[in-house]
């Protein structure tokens, strides 16, 4: 007797990013940035007439290869003018934000692309610095090093390399942190102090369970 399909397949079935898609109002500059500066190959395009909902404009949907079977894609809608609003306001070509919006909030929505090592990271830095979109910052995080710039549409792009593997202990720490965050964020005036306190409580609550698992493994 064969197992049914649900028993044969794991619960976590996704296989990474197929593509991330964004609108563009400047397709020429977008192609120049991704194809000519970063040298990401154009791998697919769709010319669409009369698709979508009523009054949906004709559009072209075009894709660049960002490695690992993943792609970044853009929509250019014919006849659609950029949204009203000051072009120098924070945000990207679609989501202009009020003046005074913190920069960290503006750039929290971004695309991060992985490279293998420092040599590759510095090569992309060179390509960007020789273009009209130079690297704006290069940062060492806990486990990665990244360079950042904004593409012609105002979207932040990060290119990053791993400094070391993420350990199982860090995965466990992430699980605790997120469980604490979910609880604290639903309360009044959530804060980092509340999160850390709740996380400590969860460690105490779960310590006995972890010890039992270790004994089983040994």
């Amino acid at each position: 007797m064969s197992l049914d399909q649900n028993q044969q397949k794991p619960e976590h079935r996704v296989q990474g990013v197929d593509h991330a898609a964004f609108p563009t109002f400047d397709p020429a500059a977008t192609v120049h940035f991704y194809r000519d500066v970063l040298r990401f190959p154009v791998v697919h395009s769709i010319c669409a007439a009369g698709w979508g909902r009523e009054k949906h404009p004709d559009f072209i949907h075009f894709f660049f290869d960002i490695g690992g079977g993943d792609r970044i894609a853009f929509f250019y809608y014919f006849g659609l003018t950029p949204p009203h609003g000051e072009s120098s306001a924070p945000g990207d070509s679609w989501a202009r934000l009020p003046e005074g919006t913190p920069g960290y909030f503006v750039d929290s929505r971004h695309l991060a692309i992985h490279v293998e090592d420092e040599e590759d990271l510095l090569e992309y830095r060179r390509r960007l610095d020789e273009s009209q979109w130079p690297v704006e910052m290069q940062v060492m995080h806990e486990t990665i090093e990244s360079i950042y710039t904004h593409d012609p549409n105002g979207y932040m792009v990060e290119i990053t390399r791993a400094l070391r593997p993420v350990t199982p202990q860090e995965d466990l720490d992430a699980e605790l942190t997120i469980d604490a965050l979910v609880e604290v964020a639903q309360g009044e005036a959530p804060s980092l102090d509340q999160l850390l306190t709740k996380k400590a409580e969860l460690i105490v609550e779960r310590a006995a369970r972890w010890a039992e698992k270790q004994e089983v493994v040994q």
Side-chain angles (χ1 to χ4, degrees):
M1 182 175 64
S2 63
L3 296 173
D4 65 36
Q5 191 174 35
N6 288 333
Q7 290 175 306
Q8 291 176 357
K9 291 189 175 183
E11 181 179 6
H12 187 51
R13 302 182 188 180
V14 297
Q15 298 178 357
V17 176
D18 182 272
H19 68 275
F22 305 90
T24 177
F25 294 97
D26 190 346
T30 298
V31 169
H32 180 49
F33 178 83
Y34 288 98
R35 184 193 64 189
D36 303 331
V37 174
L38 294 177
R39 301 179 199 167
F40 297 166
V42 176
V43 290
H44 186 51
S45 67
I46 300 169
C47 296
W51 283 22
R53 303 168 185 162
E54 186 179 358
K55 298 183 180 179
H56 197 294
D58 296 340
F59 66 93
I60 182 167
H61 191 23
F62 54 102
F63 298 72
F64 300 92
D65 180 358
I66 58 173
D70 304 334
R71 299 170 295 173
I72 182 171
F74 293 88
F75 288 95
Y76 177 66
Y77 296 97
F78 293 96
L80 180 64
T81 57
H84 297 294
E86 177 53 51
S87 61
S88 63
D92 54 55
S93 61
W94 183 256
R96 293 296 173 193
L97 299 167
E99 291 292 347
T101 300
Y104 59 80
F105 182 88
V106 176
D107 293 332
S108 63
R109 183 176 64 173
H110 64 276
L111 174 73
I113 300 170
H114 175 74
V115 296
E116 185 65 27
D117 53 28
E118 183 180 26
E119 180 183 354
D120 292 345
L121 188 71
L122 294 178
E123 169 60 17
Y124 282 104
R125 167 144 206 163
R126 182 190 67 79
R127 295 180 190 182
L128 288 167
D129 285 345
E130 292 177 357
S131 78
Q132 64 196 93
W133 301 280
V135 169
E136 299 167 21
M137 55 182 175
Q138 183 165 349
V139 180
M140 289 275 195
H141 302 288
E142 290 181 342
T143 61
I144 60 174
E145 180 181 18
S146 301
I147 57 175
Y148 299 85
T149 192
H150 287 83
D151 83 350
N153 308 288
Y155 304 124
M156 173 163 271
V157 177
E158 172 186 1
I159 300 177
T160 184
R161 72 175 180 104
L163 297 173
R164 60 171 177 80
V166 175
T167 66
Q169 291 83 1
E170 287 170 313
D171 288 340
L172 177 58
D173 179 77
E175 180 182 337
L176 286 163
T177 301
I178 295 306
D179 286 348
L181 173 63
V182 167
E183 183 162 339
V184 168
Q186 297 178 81
E188 293 184 6
S191 68
L192 181 60
D193 284 344
Q194 291 177 2
L195 184 149
L196 295 175
T197 299
K198 184 60 186 177
K199 183 175 170 181
E201 293 172 358
L202 292 176
I203 292 172
V204 173
E205 290 175 9
R206 299 178 187 181
R209 191 192 320 161
W210 296 333
E212 291 175 2
K213 286 185 177 179
Q214 284 296 109
E215 290 176 3
V216 171
V217 170
Q218 293 173 356

